[in-house]
Amino acid sequence: MILELPITIKIGRKNFALNLNIYRNAHYLTLNRMKVEFGSEVSELISTLPVFKWVNLTYTLYPKTRRLCDVSNICSIVDKFFCDALVNQGKLEDDNYQIVRQVTYKFGQVDKENPRVTVELEGDTYENHSFPERD
């Protein structure tokens, strides 16, 4: 399964780039609003996914310009917000290393018309689309 994820989030009238520099410097309330807004933007995509026992994630960056960028600077924050959204929507029980077993970041190509990060999800799923009952 491959999904397209945003690399900017609009809060009010301001666009915030999803990257480590913004994440490091932004106020914690702004960061929380960014994470919530990201989850809202991708919730419909996530709703189509099965419930995963475990998953490997491969993120591919398609920036808007040829300007050199650090792929992990962007993909790490998209990964953080995406994994949190998967957990919040019940598609992953947790996002620890036993469940999210591998994370890979790659550069795709410049896409002026549709800058984005894609994520490919590969893993094992529950057949009944829910976590097993725990004692």
Side-chain angles (χ1 to χ4, degrees), residues 19 28 37 61 64 84 115 118 124:
N19 66 52
Y28 73 93
E37 183 59 32
L61 174 64
K64 185 173 188 166
D84 288 348
T118 62
D124 195 9

Side-chain angles (χ1 to χ4, degrees), residues 11 27-38 81:
I11 298 177
H27 190 274
Y28 73 93
L29 292 175
T30 301
L31 292 174
N32 188 58
R33 287 175 45 197
M34 289 171 63
K35 185 168 85 167
V36 168
E37 183 59 32
F38 181 91
F81 287 177

Side-chain angles (χ1 to χ4, degrees), residues 1-129:
M1 291 159 246
I2 298 177
L3 304 176
E4 288 189 7
L5 306 174
I7 57 175
T8 60
I9 293 295
K10 187 169 186 152
I11 298 177
R13 290 179 278 168
K14 190 168 183 179
N15 281 322
F16 290 90
L18 295 178
N19 66 52
L20 198 53
N21 299 327
I22 299 295
Y23 191 85
R24 181 188 66 219
N25 295 320
H27 190 274
Y28 73 93
L29 292 175
T30 301
L31 292 174
N32 188 58
R33 287 175 45 197
M34 289 171 63
K35 185 168 85 167
V36 168
E37 183 59 32
F38 181 91
S40 294
E41 282 194 33
V42 300
S43 67
E44 194 172 315
L45 293 172
I46 291 174
S47 70
T48 66
L49 296 174
V51 176
F52 287 93
K53 294 177 186 177
W54 62 268
V55 67
N56 294 330
L57 302 170
T58 302
Y59 295 92
T60 305
L61 174 64
Y62 297 88
K64 185 173 188 166
T65 68
R66 293 181 186 268
R67 183 175 178 208
L68 296 178
C69 65
D70 180 343
V71 173
S72 65
N73 189 336
I74 297 167
C75 290
S76 63
I77 302 306
V78 172
D79 174 47
K80 169 77 176 130
F81 287 177
F82 183 66
C83 285
D84 288 348
L86 288 172
V87 171
N88 288 339
Q89 292 192 33
K91 301 302 180 172
L92 291 179
E93 188 170 10
D94 196 348
D95 56 357
N96 64 49
Y97 63 84
Q98 291 179 327
I99 296 171
V100 179
R101 295 183 178 178
Q102 181 179 351
V103 178
T104 305
Y105 304 145
K106 301 186 320 187
F107 176 79
Q109 64 187 34
V110 172
D111 189 340
K112 294 176 184 179
E113 302 302 318
N114 185 23
R116 68 199 179 280
V117 169
T118 62
V119 60
E120 181 176 1
L121 299 96
E122 296 177 318
D124 195 9
T125 61
Y126 291 106
E127 288 186 28
N128 64 355
H129 300 285

